[in-house]
Amino acid sequence: MALPEHAYRTLVVTQAAKFTESLKPILTSHHCQPVAQAQDAASARRLLLEESWDLVLINSPLPDEFGTRFALDAAASGNAGVMMFVKAEHYADISLKAAPLGVLVISKPTNGQLVSQSLDLMCATRERLRRMEEKAASMEEKMEEIRLVNRAKWVLVDQLKMTEPDAHRFIQKSAMDRGQSRRAVAESIIQLYG
C-alpha cells in the first residue's frame, strides 16, 4: 500500500518477547518506529499516559489481565489504532465486544500476510485521523482568532466609543496597513486598552 512516508509510533503489549521479535520485520516494513514494548497492561497504561502512540498491538492474555479492558481503554483514550491478538476460541466473543469500539481483533495463530494487511488498514486509518486532527486544529485556530477579534472590537466600542462596524473596519484596515494578521492587531488592541 502506498502511504506517505510517516513513522508510526508503536506500542507492543505482550509478555512474550518472541511475539515482538516475530513482528519486527513487518513493523519495520510499515515504518513503525519507535517500537516500545510493555510486559503488562499496567505498564502499557503508564506509557499511554506519558506519550502518544499511533498503533497499539496487544498479544493476549497479559499477565495482569486478559487484555480486552486495556484494548478498549486504549481505543477510547486517543487516536491510536488498536489491534488485539487472541486465541481462536476467544475470537468471536472478544471481537463482538471490541470491534464496535474500534479495536481490530486478530485470531491466533495468524500469518505474516494477515498481520501486514491489517497494519496497512490501521496505517491508512491513522493517516485519515491525522488529516482530521489537522483540520480540527486549523478550525480551532480560526475560532480563536474570531474570538480575539470580537473581543478587540468590543474593547474599541467600550474604550473609544466606536460603533461595532467601525471597530471591525478599524481592525481590518490596521491589519492591512501594518502587514499583520487580524489576530496580531486584536491582541495589541486588547493589550493596549483591555
Side-chain angles (χ1 to χ4, degrees):
M1 175 177 255
L3 289 174
E5 295 258 343
H6 182 272
Y8 297 96
R9 295 179 49 79
T10 304
L11 175 60
V12 178
V13 187
T14 183
Q15 62 181 344
K18 186 174 135 181
F19 178 80
T20 307
E21 285 302 314
S22 69
L23 283 180
K24 275 191 178 176
I26 299 168
L27 294 175
T28 301
S29 71
H30 284 80
H31 307 286
C32 296
Q33 58 181 323
V35 176
Q37 182 176 335
Q39 300 276 328
D40 54 41
S43 302
R45 280 187 173 86
R46 265 192 304 282
L47 287 171
L48 277 180
L49 290 173
E50 293 170 1
E51 301 178 46
S52 74
W53 300 94
D54 294 309
L55 306 172
V56 178
L57 285 67
I58 304 158
N59 181 29
S60 71
L62 300 174
D64 54 349
E65 68 173 75
F66 186 76
T68 308
R69 172 61 26 215
F70 172 71
L72 296 175
D73 291 346
S77 68
N79 292 326
V82 180
M83 184 187 305
M84 185 173 179
F85 296 85
V86 300
K87 289 185 179 174
E89 64 261 20
H90 300 294
Y91 175 80
D93 290 337
I94 302 302
S95 184
L96 188 64
K97 291 177 194 172
L101 298 172
V103 176
L104 182 60
V105 182
I106 304 289
S107 178
K108 298 189 290 189
T110 188
N111 62 53
Q113 182 179 359
L114 178 62
V115 174
S116 181
Q117 289 171 344
S118 299
L119 279 171
D120 284 341
L121 291 170
M122 289 179 63
C123 291
T125 301
R126 186 65 190 109
E127 287 305 317
R128 185 170 183 225
L129 283 172
R130 193 179 320 282
R131 285 192 310 275
M132 290 171 62
E133 289 167 351
E134 289 169 1
K135 285 181 184 178
S138 174
M139 291 297 289
E140 187 59 39
E141 287 175 22
K142 289 176 184 175
M143 293 298 293
E144 181 60 27
E145 179 180 322
I146 290 169
R147 283 192 281 275
L148 277 170
V149 169
N150 283 336
R151 192 167 146 213
K153 282 195 289 188
W154 292 113
V155 165
L156 291 173
V157 167
D158 184 53
Q159 297 294 319
L160 300 180
K161 308 301 180 209
M162 288 184 178
T163 65
E164 192 269 337
D166 288 341
H168 183 80
R169 276 191 293 279
F170 177 80
I171 292 170
Q172 283 187 313
K173 185 169 179 357
S174 296
M176 287 187 344
D177 290 348
R178 297 179 193 171
Q180 293 181 322
S181 67
R182 292 180 337 137
R183 180 187 187 109
V185 171
E187 287 171 343
S188 65
I189 290 168
I190 292 167
Q191 187 175 18
L192 183 63
Y193 296 107

